[in-house]
Amino acid sequence: MRLVLFTGKGGVGKTTLAAATGATLATQGRRTLVVSTDPAHSLADSYGTPLGPEPTEVDRRLDAVQIDSRSLADTAWQRLRGQLGTALSGIGVDALDAAELTVLPGVDELLALSEVRRLAATKYWHAVVVDCGPTAETLRLFALPEAVAGYLRRVYGWQPVSPRARALSGAAASVMELGTHLESLRAMLTDREITTVRLVLTPERMVVAETRRTLTALALRGIRVDGIVANRMMPAAGLWRGGAASWLRERRSQQEAVLAEAGAAGLSGVRLVEHRASEPVGLEALAEIAKELYGGGDPLAGEADDVAPMLRITESDEGYRLRIALPLAPDADVDLARIDDDLAITIDGFRRLVALPRLLRPCEVVGAETDAEGLVVLLTDPGGQA
């Protein structure tokens, strides 16, 4: 089973591209489910078919669903909230405070991701295509499992695999169950053989800048991006006639200049989809979009992915060099901090704790530098063991 997630700045057309991808996969013989986790659902509009919170048949081998996070909050969340409430009560927080604390920001995103995993785990579909919310919501969606699991590790000592978990009861068992659930979500997102993200942009400098930051943020989370799509390009010059031709030529030229700058900054292999005169609604219109996007090829193939391992250690005269493979913009704002056995990396406001390998835990961070491959952290061993 493959899981392909589409995201991008609001209004760039990610829903249309996700819908077109799902429809094409179905016509190629794969049972496909298209899921919308975007709070402002428009997947039903793209297919021209009413959709609800349960999978609905759109065409042969093609189903679609619009996840209702609010409904999930009233049903599935009750169990998770009960687990967390029990855990909080177990460390001395009274029942009223525990109930209040479990109404957490981000619950909707966490439940939506849990529902995607539940649907994917049925193994009925060969491919699940997800129309995610705008970039900010998607990054929060991807960050939550790791963030909450990290909290459980620090506060409760939870570990992803614990031989004691089955023997526990009460608060400890609730923590273990919740932690295991969150770990399964994180594992799904970071499984590079199963899950990939496609970034959708329009050829505008502000949108491209946000896409570059998103690419870095996803790399920080260990999530694979296998494609970038520039949507709503002005049509090819040969189609232009009349008084508007010069304006269209100028607009296309500006778009190509923006994409050239993006390529020079590391956004390579961008696929192009031209703007339509009318809104693409229905399977026939979506098939035309997919033909332009994939050229009759396999929509699951994505672009070549030769990303190096995220962490690589080499020795130096002063100690060690820890390379962290990340796509960094030349003007990226990078901050490093040591927190116990973790290295806190913040890039353009996106932060992640990276567990230091055992070899480097006794070392001190003495500096950092960037190059074409990402970030290099310089460390020395105060004990002189390097």
Side-chain angles (χ1 to χ4, degrees):
M1 196 279 299
R2 277 290 312 280
L3 182 63
V4 182
L5 303 102
F6 282 79
T7 190
K9 189 174 175 66
V12 298
K14 57 184 178 52
T15 299
T16 297
L17 298 182
T21 299
T24 298
L25 287 168
T27 61
Q28 291 180 351
R30 298 177 171 101
R31 289 194 305 273
T32 303
L33 175 67
V34 183
V35 181
S36 172
T37 65
D38 190 337
H41 295 300
S42 57
L43 184 61
D45 298 328
S46 290
Y47 283 132
T49 301
L51 299 175
E54 292 297 327
T56 299
E57 184 177 8
V58 176
D59 197 21
R60 186 183 180 192
R61 294 185 293 269
L62 176 63
D63 298 320
V65 58
Q66 294 183 155
I67 291 178
D68 182 355
S69 297
R70 184 48 49 198
S71 175
L72 290 174
D74 295 335
T75 54
W77 171 238
Q78 297 301 322
R79 183 164 177 268
L80 286 175
R81 188 167 65 182
Q83 292 170 6
L84 188 53
T86 301
L88 292 169
S89 298
I91 60 170
V93 179
D94 65 45
L96 178 61
D97 289 341
E100 292 173 346
L101 287 170
T102 54
V103 184
L104 300 172
V107 164
D108 288 356
E109 288 88 351
L110 186 60
L111 289 172
L113 187 56
S114 297
E115 185 68 358
V116 169
R117 181 183 177 278
R118 182 188 73 81
L119 292 167
T122 64
K123 300 186 186 300
Y124 174 78
W125 294 282
H126 296 121
V128 176
V129 179
V130 183
D131 169 31
C132 298
T135 307
E137 285 83 353
T138 300
L139 291 176
R140 185 165 64 245
L141 178 84
F142 292 168
L144 273 171
E146 185 174 358
V148 179
Y151 171 80
L152 294 178
R153 278 193 292 271
R154 291 190 296 274
V155 176
Y156 301 101
W158 170 80
Q159 295 296 328
V161 179
S162 173
R164 299 174 54 241
R166 294 180 182 177
L168 296 173
S169 61
S174 293
V175 170
M176 290 295 176
E177 189 171 356
L178 180 59
T180 301
H181 175 71
L182 293 166
E183 177 63 22
S184 70
L185 296 180
R186 188 202 65 79
M188 176 187 73
L189 290 173
T190 57
D191 188 332
R192 300 170 70 82
E193 297 298 320
I194 294 176
T195 304
T196 57
V197 173
R198 307 259 167 99
L199 300 179
V200 182
L201 58 87
T202 50
E204 303 162 80
R205 286 182 173 84
M206 289 182 63
V207 179
V208 169
E210 179 171 320
T211 302
R212 287 167 54 190
R213 291 192 292 269
T214 302
L215 190 62
T216 300
L218 293 175
L220 271 175
R221 306 251 163 249
I223 297 171
R224 177 186 168 196
V225 175
D226 75 341
I228 301 174
V229 182
N231 194 26
R232 297 176 182 161
M233 295 289 294
M234 286 295 106
L239 301 177
W240 299 338
R241 298 290 186 274
S246 61
W247 183 90
L248 290 169
R249 270 193 296 270
E250 176 64 21
R251 183 72 183 117
R252 176 78 182 209
S253 176
Q254 291 174 353
Q255 291 179 329
E256 290 175 345
V258 169
L259 293 181
E261 293 172 7
L267 294 185
S268 58
V270 178
R271 297 183 181 185
L272 307 182
V273 175
E274 292 187 348
H275 209 332
R276 263 56 179 177
S278 59
E279 187 177 4
V281 174
L283 294 174
E284 185 176 346
L286 293 172
E288 289 300 313
I289 294 280
K291 183 178 180 181
E292 183 177 355
L293 182 57
Y294 301 112
D298 182 3
L300 296 182
E303 299 298 326
D305 184 23
D306 298 320
V307 178
M310 184 176 179
L311 300 181
R312 191 167 71 244
I313 304 169
T314 57
E315 291 191 29
S316 67
D317 294 339
E318 295 78 20
Y320 297 97
R321 295 168 62 88
L322 173 64
R323 175 173 294 283
I324 304 172
L326 292 168
L328 289 177
D331 58 350
D333 183 11
V334 181
D335 182 69
L336 296 175
R338 179 73 181 270
I339 303 177
D340 297 326
D341 289 335
D342 293 333
L343 185 66
I345 305 173
T346 305
I347 301 175
D348 292 330
F350 299 107
R351 188 183 193 218
R352 185 189 177 190
L353 293 179
V354 176
L356 287 172
R358 186 177 298 275
L359 174 67
L360 301 183
R361 290 175 189 172
C363 298
E364 297 177 354
V365 176
V366 295
E369 57 191 41
T370 60
D371 60 19
E373 295 183 28
L375 180 66
V376 179
V377 182
L378 310 177
L379 304 101
T380 60
D381 183 350
Q385 300 300 314

